[in-house]
């Protein structure tokens, strides 16, 4: 009796073991060839997984060479998804930049186009000096495009030249006035304020409008460059490569090809792989918030459109003030600079013009209601699209996991890295410092990615530049790379003055850098950075 019983037990055990030992790898073979690989060396049935380095070492349909190929594929596919997300963001930033530049160029062109209509009543002061006014607009647009010229100097020069020409007309003389004499006339602006408060007020508003508009376009350009350098040059390390293989393809190796990864499991893998990128988020959000503040300022009173459209009217208003007070001004000039050989108190033609024309103020040239509505609509759209970019770098792992991981309803029946079950470890926070206990990706949190750190600095610099632009100050900063240098324009603020980089921040219509160099400033900047660096401070404390 004992022998038949033993035979029955043996047969039962063989029957139970046979399906496990001979489980088909047909699904894996179809999947593997679908990824473009050949079937050479691919098992027909499951084998022992002792040779695997990334996947669990149970029964498997994958060899170590297959595991390596699939690991490289998972890294390549993930990098492609990251770059695709980056291209989408770059496209949005580029579209915003192109749209705003077109909008601002139209405003500038319409303002210049109204010169003749507004200033023709000035007679010879306009008709014989049209180049003076068009030169002003040329300087304004060159600055907006990225030139390193000083707006303050350009506007001061414009008012000085306008004063000289008005003086020559009012003096009613055929004598040739020397450059020294005309320079003396121009200097009277500083004490006599021949244009009243108009020239000073217009200069402040125009500088703020053009500085802010240029800085906003630069901020969009810098943001696009940061995205390009961070996402298009992403390189996933060996620990990330192992984690991605385990996340994406190990389930296929173990006969669970239809089971998607658990969402929290995917989150930990992606947060570990993109830990350095997540560290961009605080400065990224700061720049986005500052850009939104700048855009809001464009529609605040006086709006961007009101400032640009009123430039010709403000010039007219300033000249009218000068004409009304010309006798007092010329008397002071004669006392200060000396009398002319043939001097008159005013041109008869000019006097006739004055009686025909009435005072004109910039308020009479406010933009139409349609134009203001267009401006507000444009700014609302800009703000809406900028807000979408908030939290981009910490949302990126989540967005990637939405494409590969199981939904919320399948968190008990998902791939957790070992089997089909719930993923139990907690989800890590964002950024490199929070990955110290990441169970999926082993990272050295003391070694941050230096390329990412440089981009964080770029974002910080641009935010500071934008905040200064809101005050009408074009302050250029020099960063530690020290590879491009030049000079900027505008007023210095808070000690952050002319360590400028037109090559980095300025642009042409083709987004090409504008040249310029200042090696002495670069050297000074580098010295300051070294003195203020944490290492130097520690050494000094010792």
């Amino acid at each position: 009796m004992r022998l038949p019983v033993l035979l029955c037990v043996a047969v039962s055990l063989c029957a139970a073991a046979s399906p496990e030992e001979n489980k088909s790898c047909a699904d894996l073979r179809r999947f593997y060839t679908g990824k473009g690989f050949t079937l050479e060396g691919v098992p027909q049935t499951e084998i022992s997984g002792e040779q695997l380095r990334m996947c669990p070492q149970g029964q498997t349909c994958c060899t170590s060479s297959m595991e390596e190929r699939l690991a490289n594929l998972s890294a390549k596919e993930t990098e492609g998804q990251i770059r695709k997300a980056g291209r989408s963001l770059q496209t949005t930033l580029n579209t915003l930049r192109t749209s705003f530049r077109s909008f601002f160029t139209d405003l500038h062109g319409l303002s210049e186009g109204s010169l003749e209509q507004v200033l023709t009543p000035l007679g010879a002061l306009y008709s014989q000096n049209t180049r003076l006014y068009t030169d002003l607009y040329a300087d304004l647009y060159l600055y907006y495009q990225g030139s390193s010229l000083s707006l303050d100097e350009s506007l001061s020069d414009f008012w000085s030249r306008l004063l000289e020409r008005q003086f020559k007309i009012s003096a009613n003389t055929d004598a040739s006035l020397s450059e020294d004499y005309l320079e003396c006339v121009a200097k009277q602006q500083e004490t006599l304020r021949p244009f009243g408060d108009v020239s000073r007020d217009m200069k402040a508003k125009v500088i703020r409008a053009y500085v802010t508009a240029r800085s906003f376009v630069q901020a969009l350009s810098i943001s696009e460059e940061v995205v390009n350098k961070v996402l298009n040059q992403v390189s996933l390390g060996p620990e990330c490569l192992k984690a991605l293989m385990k996340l994406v393809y190990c389930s296929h190796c173990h006969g669970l090809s239809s089971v998607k990864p658990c969402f929290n499991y995917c989150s930990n893998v992606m947060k570990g792989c993109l830990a350095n990128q997540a560290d961009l988020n605080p400065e990224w959000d700061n720049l986005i918030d500052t850009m939104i503040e700048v855009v809001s300022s464009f529609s605040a009173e006086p709006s961007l459109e009101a400032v640009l459209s009123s430039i010709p009217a403000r010039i007219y208003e300033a000249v009218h003030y000068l004409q009304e007070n010309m006798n007092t001004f010329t008397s002071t000039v004669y006392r200060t600079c000396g009398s002319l050989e043939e001097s008159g108190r005013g041109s008869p033609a000019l006097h006739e013009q004055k009686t025909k024309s009435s005072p004109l103020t910039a308020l009479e040239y406010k933009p139409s209601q349609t134009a203001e509505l267009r401006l507000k609509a444009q700014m609302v759209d800009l703000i809406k699209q900028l807000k979408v970019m908030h939290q981009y770098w910490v949302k990126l792992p989540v967005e990637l996991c939405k494409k590969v991981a199981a939904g919320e309803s399948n968190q008990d029946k998902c791939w957790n890295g070992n089997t089909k079950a719930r993923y139990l470890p907690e989800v890590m926070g964002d950024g490199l410092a929070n990955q110290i206990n990441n169970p999926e990706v082993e990272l050295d949190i003391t070694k941050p990615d230096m390329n990412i750190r440089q981009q964080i600095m770029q974002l910080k610099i641009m935010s500071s530049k934008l905040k200064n632009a809101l005050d009408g100050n074009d302050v250029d900063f020099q960063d530690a790379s020290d590879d491009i240098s030049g000079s900027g324009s505008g007023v210095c603020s808070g000690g952050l003055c002319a360590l400028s980089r037109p090559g980095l921040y300025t642009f042409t219509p083709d987004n090409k850098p504008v040249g310029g160099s200042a090696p002495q400033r670069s050297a000074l900047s580098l010295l300051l950075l070294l003195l203020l660096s944490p290492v130097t401070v520690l050494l000094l404390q010792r």
Side-chain angles (χ1 to χ4, degrees):
M1 292 293 293
R2 182 176 298 177
L3 181 60
V5 172
L6 290 174
L7 286 173
C8 288
V9 171
V11 170
S12 299
L13 288 172
C14 290
S18 179
E20 181 68 26
E21 290 176 0
N22 298 303
K23 189 173 180 180
S24 172
C25 291
D27 288 346
L28 184 279
R29 288 167 68 86
R30 282 193 295 271
F31 165 77
Y32 195 66
T33 54
K35 290 295 182 179
F37 300 113
T38 67
L39 288 175
E40 183 180 354
V42 179
Q44 293 281 353
T45 59
E46 285 187 338
I47 61 174
S48 171
E50 293 176 357
Q51 81 282 3
L52 299 181
R53 295 180 295 107
M54 305 176 208
C55 297
Q57 295 183 337
Q59 291 295 104
T60 182
C61 285
C62 291
T63 63
S64 58
S65 59
M66 291 171 63
E67 184 185 45
E68 186 175 347
R69 292 190 195 101
L70 288 172
N72 290 330
L73 178 63
S74 66
K76 184 178 179 180
E77 289 175 339
T78 302
E79 287 174 358
Q81 290 171 358
I82 292 170
R83 291 191 181 98
K84 184 178 179 181
R87 283 193 295 271
S88 176
L89 180 58
Q90 283 180 288
T91 298
T92 302
L93 288 164
N94 185 271
T95 301
L96 290 179
R97 181 161 55 92
T98 302
S99 175
F100 180 79
R101 287 177 66 177
S102 175
F103 173 75
F104 188 84
T105 299
D106 286 348
L107 289 183
H108 177 92
L110 289 170
S111 178
E112 185 175 9
S114 67
L115 277 171
E116 184 174 358
Q117 177 189 355
V118 178
L119 299 185
T120 293
L122 294 180
L125 186 60
Y126 175 71
S127 62
Q128 296 177 15
N129 298 283
T130 54
R131 180 69 181 271
L132 173 64
Y133 308 97
T134 56
D135 279 352
L136 172 63
Y137 275 87
D139 280 354
L140 290 174
Y141 196 67
L142 277 172
Y143 173 82
Y144 169 69
Q145 285 187 305
S147 169
S148 59
L149 62 82
S150 166
L151 279 187
D152 189 276
E153 291 177 8
S154 293
L155 285 162
S156 294
D157 183 58
F158 167 76
W159 289 114
S160 294
R161 291 165 67 194
L162 186 62
L163 179 60
E164 291 172 7
R165 282 155 177 73
Q166 179 63 71
F167 178 78
K168 290 179 73 173
I169 292 172
S170 299
N172 194 24
T173 177
D174 295 326
S176 177
L177 302 180
S178 69
E179 289 295 325
D180 289 343
Y181 193 90
L182 290 175
E183 184 178 346
C184 180
V185 173
K187 283 183 178 179
Q188 304 315 305
Q189 283 192 90
E190 300 170 11
T191 53
L192 300 180
R193 291 167 56 200
F195 297 110
D197 292 327
V198 179
S199 59
R200 184 180 302 176
D201 181 66
M202 174 187 147
K203 179 194 285 188
K205 287 184 170 67
V206 168
I207 286 178
R208 185 177 184 274
Y210 278 83
V211 167
T212 309
R214 178 168 98 156
S215 296
F216 177 66
V217 177
Q218 289 172 347
L220 290 171
S221 181
I222 288 295
S223 300
E224 190 179 343
E225 288 178 19
V226 167
V227 175
N228 178 63
K229 289 179 180 177
V230 171
L231 297 186
N232 288 346
Q233 298 175 16
V234 65
S235 179
L236 303 176
E239 293 301 325
C240 177
L241 186 132
K242 292 178 184 178
L244 285 172
M245 170 59 195
K246 189 177 177 184
L247 172 76
V248 179
Y249 290 134
C250 284
S251 57
H252 293 270
C253 292
H254 291 279
L256 298 171
S257 57
S258 63
V259 181
K260 288 187 174 183
C262 301
F263 195 89
N264 286 351
Y265 170 39
C266 178
S267 295
N268 273 344
V269 172
M270 293 303 181
K271 281 173 181 269
C273 288
L274 298 172
N276 281 284
Q277 285 82 350
D279 284 341
L280 285 158
N281 203 69
E283 285 304 328
W284 175 266
D285 277 4
N286 184 33
L287 179 56
I288 294 296
D289 287 336
T290 309
M291 282 198 280
I292 290 173
E293 187 180 352
V294 167
V295 172
S296 299
S297 75
F298 290 148
S299 52
E301 290 296 332
S303 71
L304 184 67
E305 191 153 10
V307 172
L308 266 66
S309 65
S310 67
I311 291 175
R314 300 311 302 271
I315 294 172
Y316 187 104
E317 186 182 354
V319 171
H320 187 274
Y321 181 91
L322 173 61
Q323 291 174 350
E324 291 293 327
N325 298 278
M326 199 65 199
N327 288 342
T328 302
F329 178 72
T330 53
S331 297
T332 305
V333 168
Y334 293 152
R335 286 198 305 271
T336 306
C337 305
S339 60
L340 302 176
E341 294 178 5
E342 297 178 39
S343 62
R345 289 187 173 271
S347 166
L350 180 62
H351 178 72
E352 183 182 352
Q353 176 59 49
K354 283 169 60 180
T355 58
K356 285 183 180 180
S357 62
S358 59
L360 180 68
T361 67
L363 295 177
E364 295 176 54
Y365 276 84
K366 285 189 68 175
S368 66
Q369 188 175 5
T370 302
E372 287 288 4
L373 288 174
R374 177 190 172 217
L375 171 67
K376 288 181 179 178
Q378 185 91 2
M379 298 307 109
V380 167
D381 184 59
L382 277 172
I383 291 173
K384 181 180 178 181
Q385 295 194 60
L386 285 169
K387 283 183 176 179
V388 173
M389 299 178 196
H390 265 133
Q391 299 286 301
Y392 175 81
W393 300 101
V394 296
K395 287 178 181 177
L396 183 57
V398 176
E399 294 303 314
L400 292 174
C401 286
K402 284 180 180 178
K403 300 182 189 312
V404 300
E408 194 66 35
S409 60
N410 292 319
Q411 291 308 296
D412 288 321
K413 300 176 182 179
C414 51
W415 172 251
N416 65 8
N418 292 291
T419 188
K420 181 181 177 181
R422 175 173 285 272
Y423 181 74
L424 298 178
E426 65 175 327
V427 178
M428 298 294 101
D430 302 304
L432 186 60
N434 287 317
Q435 306 311 309
I436 189 169
N437 293 316
N438 192 320
E440 309 305 332
V441 186
E442 186 177 342
L443 294 171
D444 185 349
I445 66 169
T446 65
K447 294 181 179 178
D449 186 308
M450 295 313 297
N451 175 50
I452 300 293
R453 301 298 130 175
Q454 288 174 358
Q455 302 317 309
I456 290 173
M457 181 58 70
Q458 294 286 55
L459 295 173
K460 187 175 293 188
I461 288 170
M462 196 63 243
S463 295
S464 297
K465 185 176 176 64
L466 267 184
K467 287 171 183 174
N468 276 281
L470 284 168
D471 295 326
N473 300 324
D474 185 14
V475 181
D476 280 335
F477 300 83
Q478 179 77 45
D479 73 5
S481 62
D482 226 13
D483 55 344
I484 304 174
S485 58
S487 58
S489 65
V491 183
C492 302
S493 173
L496 302 172
C497 188
L499 298 179
S500 56
R501 296 190 66 189
L504 176 63
Y505 294 119
T506 60
F507 53 90
T508 65
D510 297 322
N511 200 28
K512 295 176 181 177
V514 175
S517 63
Q520 290 181 343
R521 285 179 177 177
S522 300
L524 176 59
S525 173
L526 183 58
L527 178 60
L528 287 171
L529 285 166
L530 288 172
L531 288 173
L532 294 174
S533 70
V535 175
T536 307
V537 172
L538 287 172
L539 290 173
L540 289 173
Q541 288 176 342
R542 294 176 62 187

